[in-house]
Short mmCIF file of all heavy atoms in Angstrom, two decimals:
data_model
loop_
_atom_site.label_atom_id
_atom_site.label_comp_id
_atom_site.label_asym_id
_atom_site.label_seq_id
_atom_site.Cartn_x
_atom_site.Cartn_y
_atom_site.Cartn_z
N ILE B 67 -9.79 -8.45 8.13
CA ILE B 67 -9.55 -8.74 9.54
C ILE B 67 -8.28 -9.59 9.71
O ILE B 67 -7.43 -9.34 10.54
CB ILE B 67 -10.76 -9.43 10.17
CG1 ILE B 67 -12.01 -8.57 10.02
CG2 ILE B 67 -10.52 -9.75 11.63
CD1 ILE B 67 -11.83 -7.12 10.46
N VAL B 68 -8.21 -10.64 8.90
CA VAL B 68 -7.01 -11.50 8.96
C VAL B 68 -5.81 -10.69 8.47
O VAL B 68 -4.69 -10.85 8.99
CB VAL B 68 -7.19 -12.78 8.14
CG1 VAL B 68 -5.93 -13.62 8.15
CG2 VAL B 68 -8.36 -13.60 8.68
N GLY B 69 -6.05 -9.81 7.52
CA GLY B 69 -4.98 -8.98 6.98
C GLY B 69 -4.34 -8.06 8.00
O GLY B 69 -3.26 -7.51 7.78
N MET B 70 -5.01 -7.85 9.12
CA MET B 70 -4.44 -7.02 10.17
C MET B 70 -3.26 -7.75 10.85
O MET B 70 -2.38 -7.09 11.43
CB MET B 70 -5.48 -6.72 11.28
CG MET B 70 -6.67 -5.91 10.82
SD MET B 70 -7.96 -5.87 12.07
CE MET B 70 -7.24 -4.73 13.27
N LEU B 71 -3.24 -9.06 10.73
CA LEU B 71 -2.29 -9.84 11.56
C LEU B 71 -0.83 -9.75 11.11
O LEU B 71 0.06 -9.49 11.92
CB LEU B 71 -2.76 -11.28 11.70
CG LEU B 71 -4.14 -11.43 12.38
CD1 LEU B 71 -4.64 -12.84 12.26
CD2 LEU B 71 -4.05 -11.02 13.84
N PRO B 72 -0.56 -9.99 9.81
CA PRO B 72 0.85 -9.90 9.42
C PRO B 72 1.45 -8.53 9.68
O PRO B 72 2.58 -8.42 10.19
CB PRO B 72 0.83 -10.20 7.91
CG PRO B 72 -0.59 -10.34 7.49
CD PRO B 72 -1.42 -10.47 8.71
N GLU B 73 0.71 -7.46 9.41
CA GLU B 73 1.23 -6.14 9.69
C GLU B 73 1.25 -5.88 11.18
O GLU B 73 2.13 -5.18 11.68
CB GLU B 73 0.36 -5.07 9.00
CG GLU B 73 0.55 -5.09 7.49
CD GLU B 73 -0.48 -4.23 6.82
OE1 GLU B 73 -1.67 -4.58 6.83
OE2 GLU B 73 -0.09 -3.17 6.29
N GLY B 74 0.27 -6.45 11.88
CA GLY B 74 0.20 -6.27 13.33
C GLY B 74 1.48 -6.72 14.01
O GLY B 74 1.90 -6.16 15.04
N ASN B 75 2.15 -7.69 13.42
CA ASN B 75 3.45 -8.16 13.91
C ASN B 75 4.45 -7.08 14.09
O ASN B 75 5.39 -7.21 14.88
CB ASN B 75 4.06 -9.12 12.88
CG ASN B 75 3.65 -10.54 13.14
OD1 ASN B 75 3.53 -10.92 14.30
ND2 ASN B 75 3.44 -11.29 12.10
N TRP B 76 4.34 -6.03 13.28
CA TRP B 76 5.39 -5.03 13.24
C TRP B 76 5.06 -3.74 14.00
O TRP B 76 5.90 -2.84 14.09
CB TRP B 76 5.79 -4.71 11.80
CG TRP B 76 6.67 -5.82 11.30
CD1 TRP B 76 6.30 -6.96 10.68
CD2 TRP B 76 8.11 -5.88 11.47
NE1 TRP B 76 7.39 -7.76 10.44
CE2 TRP B 76 8.50 -7.12 10.90
CE3 TRP B 76 9.05 -5.03 12.03
CZ2 TRP B 76 9.84 -7.51 10.89
CZ3 TRP B 76 10.39 -5.41 12.00
CH2 TRP B 76 10.77 -6.65 11.45
N ILE B 77 3.85 -3.65 14.56
CA ILE B 77 3.46 -2.39 15.23
C ILE B 77 4.44 -2.04 16.34
O ILE B 77 4.88 -0.91 16.49
CB ILE B 77 2.04 -2.51 15.82
CG1 ILE B 77 0.99 -2.66 14.71
CG2 ILE B 77 1.71 -1.28 16.68
CD1 ILE B 77 -0.39 -2.98 15.22
N THR B 78 4.78 -3.03 17.14
CA THR B 78 5.66 -2.74 18.29
C THR B 78 7.13 -2.61 17.89
O THR B 78 7.96 -2.27 18.71
CB THR B 78 5.54 -3.85 19.37
OG1 THR B 78 5.92 -5.10 18.77
CG2 THR B 78 4.14 -3.93 19.94
N ARG B 79 7.42 -2.87 16.60
CA ARG B 79 8.83 -2.85 16.18
C ARG B 79 9.10 -1.85 15.06
O ARG B 79 10.11 -1.95 14.35
CB ARG B 79 9.26 -4.25 15.73
CG ARG B 79 9.30 -5.26 16.86
CD ARG B 79 9.77 -6.61 16.38
NE ARG B 79 8.79 -7.21 15.47
CZ ARG B 79 9.03 -8.30 14.71
NH1 ARG B 79 10.22 -8.86 14.74
NH2 ARG B 79 8.07 -8.78 13.94
N THR B 80 8.22 -0.91 14.84
CA THR B 80 8.45 0.07 13.78
C THR B 80 9.73 0.84 14.08
O THR B 80 10.07 1.11 15.23
CB THR B 80 7.32 1.10 13.67
OG1 THR B 80 7.18 1.74 14.95
CG2 THR B 80 6.00 0.43 13.31
N PRO B 81 10.48 1.22 13.04
CA PRO B 81 11.76 1.87 13.29
C PRO B 81 11.64 3.35 13.68
O PRO B 81 12.66 3.93 14.11
CB PRO B 81 12.48 1.75 11.92
CG PRO B 81 11.39 1.57 10.92
CD PRO B 81 10.27 0.89 11.62
N SER B 82 10.48 3.97 13.51
CA SER B 82 10.35 5.36 13.97
C SER B 82 8.92 5.59 14.46
O SER B 82 8.03 4.78 14.21
CB SER B 82 10.62 6.32 12.78
OG SER B 82 9.53 6.31 11.89
N LEU B 83 8.74 6.70 15.16
CA LEU B 83 7.39 7.00 15.69
C LEU B 83 6.47 7.38 14.56
O LEU B 83 5.27 7.06 14.59
CB LEU B 83 7.45 8.07 16.75
CG LEU B 83 8.13 7.68 18.07
CD1 LEU B 83 8.10 8.82 19.04
CD2 LEU B 83 7.49 6.44 18.69
N ARG B 84 7.00 8.09 13.57
CA ARG B 84 6.16 8.48 12.42
C ARG B 84 5.61 7.21 11.73
O ARG B 84 4.43 7.14 11.37
CB ARG B 84 6.97 9.30 11.43
CG ARG B 84 6.22 9.72 10.19
CD ARG B 84 7.08 10.66 9.33
NE ARG B 84 6.39 11.01 8.11
CZ ARG B 84 6.48 10.35 6.94
NH1 ARG B 84 7.24 9.25 6.87
NH2 ARG B 84 5.82 10.75 5.88
N ARG B 85 6.49 6.25 11.51
CA ARG B 85 6.06 4.98 10.89
C ARG B 85 5.07 4.26 11.79
O ARG B 85 4.18 3.56 11.33
CB ARG B 85 7.25 4.08 10.61
CG ARG B 85 8.20 4.59 9.58
CD ARG B 85 7.62 4.53 8.17
NE ARG B 85 8.55 5.06 7.20
CZ ARG B 85 8.17 5.69 6.07
NH1 ARG B 85 6.90 5.85 5.81
NH2 ARG B 85 9.07 6.14 5.24
N LYS B 86 5.26 4.38 13.10
CA LYS B 86 4.39 3.67 14.03
C LYS B 86 2.94 4.18 13.92
O LYS B 86 2.03 3.37 13.77
CB LYS B 86 4.90 3.80 15.46
CG LYS B 86 4.23 2.81 16.43
CD LYS B 86 4.69 2.97 17.86
CE LYS B 86 6.11 2.48 18.08
NZ LYS B 86 6.26 1.02 18.00
N VAL B 87 2.78 5.49 13.97
CA VAL B 87 1.38 5.99 13.91
C VAL B 87 0.75 5.69 12.57
O VAL B 87 -0.44 5.37 12.50
CB VAL B 87 1.26 7.49 14.27
CG1 VAL B 87 1.57 7.70 15.75
CG2 VAL B 87 2.18 8.37 13.41
N ALA B 88 1.55 5.75 11.48
CA ALA B 88 1.00 5.46 10.17
C ALA B 88 0.56 4.02 10.06
O ALA B 88 -0.55 3.70 9.61
CB ALA B 88 2.01 5.80 9.08
N LEU B 89 1.41 3.11 10.53
CA LEU B 89 1.10 1.69 10.44
C LEU B 89 -0.11 1.34 11.30
O LEU B 89 -1.02 0.62 10.89
CB LEU B 89 2.31 0.85 10.88
CG LEU B 89 2.13 -0.67 10.73
CD1 LEU B 89 2.00 -1.08 9.27
CD2 LEU B 89 3.30 -1.43 11.35
N LEU B 90 -0.12 1.90 12.50
CA LEU B 90 -1.23 1.65 13.42
C LEU B 90 -2.54 2.15 12.84
O LEU B 90 -3.57 1.46 12.88
CB LEU B 90 -0.90 2.33 14.77
CG LEU B 90 -1.57 1.93 16.05
CD1 LEU B 90 -1.64 0.42 16.21
CD2 LEU B 90 -0.81 2.55 17.22
N ALA B 91 -2.50 3.36 12.29
CA ALA B 91 -3.73 3.93 11.70
C ALA B 91 -4.17 3.09 10.52
O ALA B 91 -5.37 2.88 10.28
CB ALA B 91 -3.49 5.35 11.27
N LYS B 92 -3.21 2.57 9.76
CA LYS B 92 -3.55 1.76 8.59
C LYS B 92 -4.21 0.46 9.02
O LYS B 92 -5.21 0.04 8.47
CB LYS B 92 -2.27 1.47 7.82
CG LYS B 92 -2.53 0.55 6.65
CD LYS B 92 -1.27 0.06 6.00
CE LYS B 92 -1.67 -0.72 4.76
NZ LYS B 92 -1.31 -2.08 4.76
N ILE B 93 -3.63 -0.19 10.01
CA ILE B 93 -4.20 -1.50 10.44
C ILE B 93 -5.58 -1.25 11.07
O ILE B 93 -6.50 -2.03 10.88
CB ILE B 93 -3.24 -2.20 11.41
CG1 ILE B 93 -1.89 -2.43 10.72
CG2 ILE B 93 -3.82 -3.50 11.87
CD1 ILE B 93 -0.81 -2.99 11.60
N GLN B 94 -5.69 -0.12 11.77
CA GLN B 94 -7.00 0.19 12.33
C GLN B 94 -8.03 0.40 11.21
O GLN B 94 -9.17 -0.03 11.31
CB GLN B 94 -6.92 1.48 13.18
CG GLN B 94 -8.22 1.80 13.86
CD GLN B 94 -8.25 3.24 14.35
OE1 GLN B 94 -7.78 4.15 13.71
NE2 GLN B 94 -8.79 3.43 15.54
N ASP B 95 -7.62 1.03 10.14
CA ASP B 95 -8.52 1.19 8.98
C ASP B 95 -8.99 -0.17 8.48
O ASP B 95 -10.14 -0.34 8.08
CB ASP B 95 -7.79 1.88 7.82
CG ASP B 95 -7.87 3.39 7.90
OD1 ASP B 95 -8.59 3.92 8.79
OD2 ASP B 95 -7.20 4.07 7.11
N GLU B 96 -8.09 -1.14 8.49
CA GLU B 96 -8.46 -2.48 8.02
C GLU B 96 -9.55 -3.06 8.93
O GLU B 96 -10.50 -3.69 8.43
CB GLU B 96 -7.24 -3.42 7.96
CG GLU B 96 -6.38 -3.10 6.76
CD GLU B 96 -4.93 -3.52 6.88
OE1 GLU B 96 -4.59 -4.27 7.82
OE2 GLU B 96 -4.10 -3.07 6.05
N ALA B 97 -9.46 -2.82 10.24
CA ALA B 97 -10.53 -3.22 11.12
C ALA B 97 -11.83 -2.53 10.69
O ALA B 97 -12.90 -3.16 10.60
CB ALA B 97 -10.20 -2.88 12.57
N GLY B 98 -11.71 -1.25 10.41
CA GLY B 98 -12.89 -0.48 9.96
C GLY B 98 -13.45 -1.06 8.67
O GLY B 98 -14.67 -1.22 8.53
N HIS B 99 -12.58 -1.39 7.75
CA HIS B 99 -13.05 -1.92 6.49
C HIS B 99 -13.75 -3.26 6.67
O HIS B 99 -14.79 -3.52 6.06
CB HIS B 99 -11.89 -2.03 5.49
CG HIS B 99 -11.26 -0.71 5.19
ND1 HIS B 99 -10.11 -0.56 4.46
CD2 HIS B 99 -11.66 0.56 5.54
CE1 HIS B 99 -9.80 0.74 4.40
NE2 HIS B 99 -10.71 1.40 5.05
N GLY B 100 -13.18 -4.09 7.50
CA GLY B 100 -13.84 -5.34 7.83
C GLY B 100 -15.23 -5.07 8.40
O GLY B 100 -16.22 -5.69 8.00
N LEU B 101 -15.27 -4.10 9.26
CA LEU B 101 -16.56 -3.75 9.91
C LEU B 101 -17.58 -3.26 8.88
O LEU B 101 -18.73 -3.67 8.90
CB LEU B 101 -16.28 -2.70 10.98
CG LEU B 101 -17.39 -2.43 12.00
CD1 LEU B 101 -16.77 -1.92 13.29
CD2 LEU B 101 -18.42 -1.46 11.52
N TYR B 102 -17.15 -2.36 7.98
CA TYR B 102 -18.11 -1.87 6.98
C TYR B 102 -18.64 -3.05 6.14
O TYR B 102 -19.81 -3.08 5.77
CB TYR B 102 -17.45 -0.89 5.99
CG TYR B 102 -16.71 0.30 6.58
CD1 TYR B 102 -15.68 0.93 5.88
CD2 TYR B 102 -17.03 0.80 7.85
CE1 TYR B 102 -14.98 2.01 6.41
CE2 TYR B 102 -16.33 1.86 8.39
CZ TYR B 102 -15.29 2.46 7.66
OH TYR B 102 -14.59 3.50 8.17
N LEU B 103 -17.72 -3.97 5.83
CA LEU B 103 -18.11 -5.09 4.95
C LEU B 103 -19.01 -6.10 5.69
O LEU B 103 -19.97 -6.58 5.12
CB LEU B 103 -16.86 -5.78 4.39
CG LEU B 103 -16.12 -4.91 3.36
CD1 LEU B 103 -14.69 -5.41 3.17
CD2 LEU B 103 -16.87 -4.90 2.03
N TYR B 104 -18.69 -6.38 6.94
CA TYR B 104 -19.61 -7.22 7.71
C TYR B 104 -20.98 -6.57 7.75
O TYR B 104 -22.01 -7.26 7.60
CB TYR B 104 -19.09 -7.46 9.14
CG TYR B 104 -17.93 -8.43 9.24
CD1 TYR B 104 -16.75 -8.07 9.90
CD2 TYR B 104 -18.03 -9.71 8.70
CE1 TYR B 104 -15.71 -8.98 10.01
CE2 TYR B 104 -16.97 -10.61 8.81
CZ TYR B 104 -15.81 -10.25 9.45
OH TYR B 104 -14.77 -11.12 9.55
N SER B 105 -21.03 -5.25 7.94
CA SER B 105 -22.32 -4.56 7.97
C SER B 105 -23.05 -4.72 6.64
O SER B 105 -24.26 -4.93 6.64
CB SER B 105 -22.10 -3.05 8.24
OG SER B 105 -21.51 -2.88 9.49
N ALA B 106 -22.32 -4.62 5.54
CA ALA B 106 -22.98 -4.78 4.22
C ALA B 106 -23.52 -6.19 4.09
O ALA B 106 -24.62 -6.39 3.61
CB ALA B 106 -21.97 -4.47 3.10
N ALA B 107 -22.75 -7.18 4.55
CA ALA B 107 -23.20 -8.56 4.48
C ALA B 107 -24.44 -8.77 5.37
O ALA B 107 -25.38 -9.51 5.02
CB ALA B 107 -22.10 -9.51 4.88
N GLU B 108 -24.46 -8.08 6.48
CA GLU B 108 -25.59 -8.24 7.40
C GLU B 108 -26.90 -7.75 6.82
O GLU B 108 -27.98 -8.16 7.25
CB GLU B 108 -25.30 -7.50 8.73
CG GLU B 108 -24.35 -8.32 9.62
CD GLU B 108 -23.97 -7.56 10.89
OE1 GLU B 108 -23.10 -6.67 10.83
OE2 GLU B 108 -24.54 -7.87 11.93
N THR B 109 -26.87 -6.86 5.81
CA THR B 109 -28.10 -6.44 5.18
C THR B 109 -28.70 -7.56 4.33
O THR B 109 -29.82 -7.46 3.87
CB THR B 109 -27.86 -5.24 4.22
OG1 THR B 109 -26.99 -5.63 3.17
CG2 THR B 109 -27.25 -4.04 4.96
N LEU B 110 -27.93 -8.66 4.13
CA LEU B 110 -28.45 -9.78 3.33
C LEU B 110 -29.05 -10.88 4.19
O LEU B 110 -29.34 -11.98 3.71
CB LEU B 110 -27.30 -10.34 2.48
CG LEU B 110 -26.84 -9.38 1.36
CD1 LEU B 110 -25.42 -9.73 0.92
CD2 LEU B 110 -27.81 -9.42 0.18
N GLY B 111 -29.20 -10.57 5.48
CA GLY B 111 -29.89 -11.54 6.34
C GLY B 111 -28.98 -12.56 6.99
O GLY B 111 -29.37 -13.68 7.20
N ILE B 112 -27.76 -12.17 7.27
CA ILE B 112 -26.87 -13.03 7.99
C ILE B 112 -26.22 -12.19 9.09
O ILE B 112 -26.11 -10.97 8.91
CB ILE B 112 -25.81 -13.68 7.03
CG1 ILE B 112 -25.00 -14.74 7.77
CG2 ILE B 112 -24.89 -12.62 6.44
CD1 ILE B 112 -24.25 -15.67 6.82
N THR B 113 -25.87 -12.77 10.23
CA THR B 113 -25.32 -11.94 11.31
C THR B 113 -23.81 -12.01 11.32
O THR B 113 -23.23 -12.92 10.76
CB THR B 113 -25.83 -12.43 12.69
OG1 THR B 113 -25.29 -13.73 12.93
CG2 THR B 113 -27.37 -12.51 12.72
N ARG B 114 -23.21 -11.04 12.00
CA ARG B 114 -21.74 -11.04 12.08
C ARG B 114 -21.25 -12.30 12.79
O ARG B 114 -20.23 -12.86 12.38
CB ARG B 114 -21.24 -9.78 12.82
CG ARG B 114 -19.72 -9.63 12.66
CD ARG B 114 -19.11 -8.63 13.60
NE ARG B 114 -19.48 -7.27 13.31
CZ ARG B 114 -19.10 -6.23 14.04
NH1 ARG B 114 -18.28 -6.39 15.09
NH2 ARG B 114 -19.47 -5.01 13.75
N ASP B 115 -21.97 -12.74 13.82
CA ASP B 115 -21.53 -13.93 14.52
C ASP B 115 -21.53 -15.14 13.61
O ASP B 115 -20.62 -15.98 13.67
CB ASP B 115 -22.45 -14.20 15.74
CG ASP B 115 -21.88 -13.55 16.99
OD1 ASP B 115 -20.81 -12.89 16.87
OD2 ASP B 115 -22.48 -13.70 18.07
N GLN B 116 -22.55 -15.23 12.74
CA GLN B 116 -22.56 -16.36 11.79
C GLN B 116 -21.39 -16.27 10.85
O GLN B 116 -20.76 -17.27 10.53
CB GLN B 116 -23.89 -16.32 10.98
CG GLN B 116 -25.11 -16.79 11.75
CD GLN B 116 -26.38 -16.57 10.96
OE1 GLN B 116 -26.67 -15.45 10.51
NE2 GLN B 116 -27.15 -17.62 10.75
N LEU B 117 -21.13 -15.04 10.40
CA LEU B 117 -20.01 -14.85 9.47
C LEU B 117 -18.68 -15.23 10.12
O LEU B 117 -17.85 -15.93 9.53
CB LEU B 117 -19.98 -13.40 8.98
CG LEU B 117 -21.17 -12.97 8.13
CD1 LEU B 117 -21.21 -11.47 7.99
CD2 LEU B 117 -21.10 -13.62 6.73
#
Side-chain angles (χ1 to χ4, degrees):
Chain B
I67 302 310
V68 177
M70 297 170 75
L71 299 170
E73 290 170 292
N75 269 325
W76 282 90
I77 295 171
T78 58
R79 292 182 293 168
T80 57
S82 74
L83 291 181
R84 178 175 178 269
R85 294 289 178 211
K86 193 182 289 289
V87 290
L89 184 65
L90 200 45
K92 176 189 186 241
I93 301 174
Q94 184 196 39
D95 274 352
E96 284 156 12
H99 298 172
L101 195 153
Y102 308 156
L103 289 162
Y104 285 127
S105 298
E108 282 176 282
T109 63
L110 292 158
I112 189 163
T113 66
R114 191 194 291 178
D115 268 2
Q116 285 172 305
L117 294 166

